[in-house]
């Protein structure tokens, strides 16, 4: 794991409106974005809040007890999450949206 972030909010809009709002921070090409939403009338964009990073990348199985790579998110035990998050450095504070 290379980092974590808090969710500052979410916005559900048409794909075109989402692209216009989030393209500059999306991390995906326009063609892949619209291919993903090709059959969707709406999509949801996540506004990223506080961004955290460990001093060194963490091992999913050894540090977090996660048996297989995850697709989007993974629940971990509260004490494990607290220990991991407390060890991370804040890269960006949550901004007021």
């Amino acid at each position: 794991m290379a980092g974590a972030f808090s969710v500052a909010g979410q916005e559900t809009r048409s794909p075109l409106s989402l692209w216009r709002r989030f393209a500059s921070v999306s991390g995906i090409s326009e063609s892949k974005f619209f291919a993903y939403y090709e059959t969707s009338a709406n999509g949801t964009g996540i506004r990223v809040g506080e961004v955290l990073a460990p001093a060194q990348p963490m091992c999913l199985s050894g540090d977090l007890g996660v048996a297989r790579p995850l697709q989007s998110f993974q629940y971990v035990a509260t004490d494990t999450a607290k220990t991991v998050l407390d060890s991370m450095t804040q890269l960006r504070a949550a901004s007021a949206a």
Side-chain angles (χ1 to χ4, degrees):
M1 179 183 75
F5 65 87
S6 64
V7 175
Q10 62 183 33
E11 295 185 33
T12 299
R13 303 173 173 212
S14 71
L16 180 58
S17 181
L18 278 176
W19 181 254
R20 288 178 177 159
R21 170 73 169 93
F22 294 108
S24 65
V25 294
S26 68
I28 188 172
S29 71
E30 184 176 4
S31 61
K32 287 183 180 180
F33 178 87
F34 284 104
Y36 181 82
Y37 283 111
E38 184 174 39
T39 60
S40 301
N42 289 301
T44 299
I46 297 171
R47 288 194 318 272
V48 174
E50 182 180 25
V51 177
L52 304 169
Q56 297 180 351
M58 303 178 90
C59 174
L60 290 176
S61 60
D63 295 320
L64 298 174
V66 174
R68 60 185 171 85
L70 39 134
Q71 292 296 318
S72 60
F73 69 91
Q74 174 76 42
Y75 291 108
V76 294
T78 301
D79 58 335
T80 300
K82 181 166 177 29
T83 299
V84 168
L85 292 172
D86 287 347
S87 74
M88 293 185 172
T89 302
Q90 182 176 338
L91 297 180
R92 187 184 88 194
S95 59

